[in-house]
Amino acid sequence: MSTKENATEEIDLGQLFKLIGNAFDRFFKFIGSIFKGIFHFIILFLQFIQKHFLKFVIAGVIGIAIGIYWDSTADPKYKSTMIVEPNFNSVQQLYNNIEFYNELAEEEEYIALAEALKIEPEEAQALKEFSIESFSDQTQKIKQFSTFIQSLDTISQKKVDYDDYLKNFNNINAKFHKITIEAKDAKIAKKCQSAIVKSIENNQYFRLQKQINEVNLSLQDSIIGKQFTEIDSLQNFYRKIKTLEAGKPEGTTSINLAGEGSDQSPEIELLAQIKELKNEMVVLNDKRANTSNTINIISAFPNKGVLINDFFKKKMVLLPILLMGLVFMVLVLLSLNRYLKKYNQE
């Protein structure tokens, strides 16, 4: 009985190993067929290129010739950039204005564009493209995140982390923004700078926000000034008390100006308050400087723009690629058509 059981187990194990071997064999054959298919496709593609190589060369040469002529006759383009810092939540309006200018330039509405930018219609014809994008690095994002966290209550601070902040960070959240103008006139961007900035500053809402900000800063300034005066009076009072204490005979009751349980003398506490008030003054002055304008110009448009000379944007590069791509598509469609006709005949 045991001999028959051993023989059955050997047969089962043999069949199992055979099944495993067959599975591996089919798997490797499947992988091999994939590589063979890829290799076959590459060979067919190379044969296709070899067969029509002359057509691609002709298309490329024609594209280069037309592109060179196009580049030589086209008007030069100049690029000018300005970096700004919008205040009072005016960044969205700035983006809307830049988009509006760009639409007018694309639609060649030069009269309306000239009126918006306070220039002559002939000068507006030189403007070709307006764009704006955020100008923010990792350091600026960290600083903005720190300011954002400080503005939240304790419970909200625990629910927000830096990764969540970055996921919701967009162009509007950035502190600095770069405005770019492309034009045929190298000096036209500088003439547009004032109108672009004033279009935001003359907005009634932002003017009101700026006035309220100035009132609030003046109020904080006066409060800090009064606190300095009060502290100065207290210092003079403590000096008089010390003078009186020094003139008293020994054994008389002395006046303790420090509160119960206080380890520091009143003079030291006043010095600490003075230091804190000075820090508040520094912050207040920085805020006054940063918010003195609705739009802070960090880097103005240059007097003369930079000539756009990007090699990969030239027509002599783009046209050959376009023509060869069209030739490739036409030849592929013709080959597909022949294959379908042949397939139907079979």
Side-chain angles (χ1 to χ4, degrees):
M1 187 69 177
S2 60
T3 305
K4 289 182 179 181
E5 289 179 355
N6 291 335
T8 303
E9 289 177 0
E10 289 177 1
I11 292 171
D12 292 340
L13 288 174
Q15 290 177 347
L16 177 62
F17 285 123
K18 186 177 181 180
L19 290 173
I20 294 173
N22 291 336
F24 273 105
D25 185 54
R26 286 194 297 269
F27 174 74
F28 286 118
K29 284 183 178 180
F30 173 72
I31 297 297
S33 65
I34 292 176
F35 282 105
K36 286 180 180 179
I38 294 173
F39 180 75
H40 180 67
F41 176 79
I42 293 173
I43 295 299
L44 289 178
F45 177 76
L46 293 176
Q47 288 177 341
F48 179 82
I49 297 297
Q50 183 185 40
K51 181 179 179 181
H52 302 288
F53 181 75
L54 184 60
K55 297 183 181 68
F56 290 118
V57 171
I58 293 173
V61 171
I62 293 173
I64 292 173
I66 297 175
I68 291 174
Y69 175 77
W70 197 338
D71 289 332
S72 62
T73 56
D75 294 325
K77 266 189 179 183
Y78 300 90
K79 182 169 71 174
S80 303
T81 59
M82 175 173 66
I83 298 174
V84 297
E85 179 188 10
N87 291 318
F88 314 119
N89 297 320
S90 60
V91 60
Q92 183 63 66
Q93 184 62 50
L94 179 63
Y95 271 71
N96 292 342
N97 288 3
I98 297 300
E99 185 178 353
F100 172 67
Y101 301 146
N102 188 58
E103 288 177 356
L104 292 179
E106 288 181 347
E107 296 173 4
E108 299 183 356
E109 296 287 344
Y110 298 123
I111 295 177
L113 185 59
E115 291 177 355
L117 295 174
K118 312 302 180 187
I119 56 177
E120 297 297 326
E122 294 78 12
E123 294 176 320
Q125 293 179 12
L127 296 167
K128 295 302 174 185
E129 185 178 350
F130 292 79
S131 63
I132 183 171
E133 60 181 344
S134 62
F135 188 81
S136 181
D137 56 13
Q138 195 69 17
T139 303
Q140 287 294 334
K141 290 179 181 179
I142 293 173
K143 289 182 179 178
Q144 288 179 248
F145 174 71
S146 177
T147 304
F148 172 72
I149 285 294
Q150 291 175 6
S151 65
L152 301 177
D153 56 73
T154 307
I155 298 175
S156 300
Q157 288 178 0
K158 294 178 180 179
K159 294 181 179 180
V160 180
D161 59 16
Y162 184 63
D163 292 333
D164 293 331
Y165 179 78
L166 285 182
K167 288 178 182 178
N168 296 286
F169 190 89
N170 53 38
N171 289 338
I172 305 301
N173 302 126
K175 185 177 182 180
F176 302 113
H177 303 267
K178 182 168 67 174
I179 300 172
T180 303
I181 294 179
E182 292 186 8
K184 293 188 292 184
D185 185 351
K187 299 180 180 180
I188 189 63
K190 191 68 175 180
K191 297 180 180 180
C192 301
Q193 176 176 306
S194 177
I196 292 173
V197 174
K198 287 182 178 179
S199 67
I200 305 297
E201 291 181 342
N202 293 336
N203 184 290
Q204 185 176 358
Y205 172 77
F206 299 127
R207 277 192 298 177
L208 178 61
Q209 293 295 314
K210 184 174 179 293
Q211 291 171 3
I212 293 173
N213 180 74
E214 290 172 353
V215 171
N216 290 336
L217 291 177
S218 298
L219 180 61
Q220 292 178 23
D221 196 9
S222 64
I223 291 173
I224 292 174
K226 289 180 181 179
Q227 289 176 328
F228 271 120
T229 303
E230 292 173 356
I231 290 175
D232 186 59
S233 299
L234 283 174
Q235 285 179 322
N236 292 330
F237 175 72
Y238 289 152
R239 291 192 193 100
K240 290 179 182 179
I241 295 296
K242 279 193 172 184
T243 302
L244 292 174
E245 288 291 323
K248 284 184 177 182
E250 294 183 4
T252 58
T253 304
S254 61
I255 301 173
N256 183 17
L257 297 176
E260 294 184 3
S262 176
D263 297 332
Q264 294 182 342
S265 66
E267 291 85 351
I268 295 177
E269 290 182 357
L270 287 178
L271 289 175
Q273 291 181 17
I274 290 173
K275 183 179 180 181
E276 185 177 345
L277 288 175
K278 286 182 178 179
N279 291 334
E280 290 181 11
M281 283 293 296
V282 170
V283 173
L284 189 64
N285 290 333
D286 287 340
K287 188 175 181 180
R288 180 180 284 110
N290 292 331
T291 59
S292 59
N293 298 304
T294 307
I295 298 290
N296 293 331
I297 300 177
I298 308 302
S299 175
F301 283 126
N303 293 326
K304 187 176 182 180
V306 178
L307 179 65
I308 298 176
N309 195 26
D310 191 345
F311 178 77
F312 294 102
K313 289 185 178 181
K314 288 186 175 182
K315 300 298 186 296
M316 62 175 293
V317 176
L318 298 177
L319 274 179
I321 296 174
L322 177 61
L323 287 179
M324 286 190 291
L326 288 174
V327 170
F328 178 80
M329 291 299 298
V330 170
L331 292 174
V332 168
L333 290 175
L334 291 174
S335 299
L336 180 61
N337 185 52
R338 286 194 297 268
Y339 174 78
L340 292 175
K341 287 181 178 180
K342 185 179 179 181
Y343 182 83
N344 290 332
Q345 290 174 0
E346 294 177 352

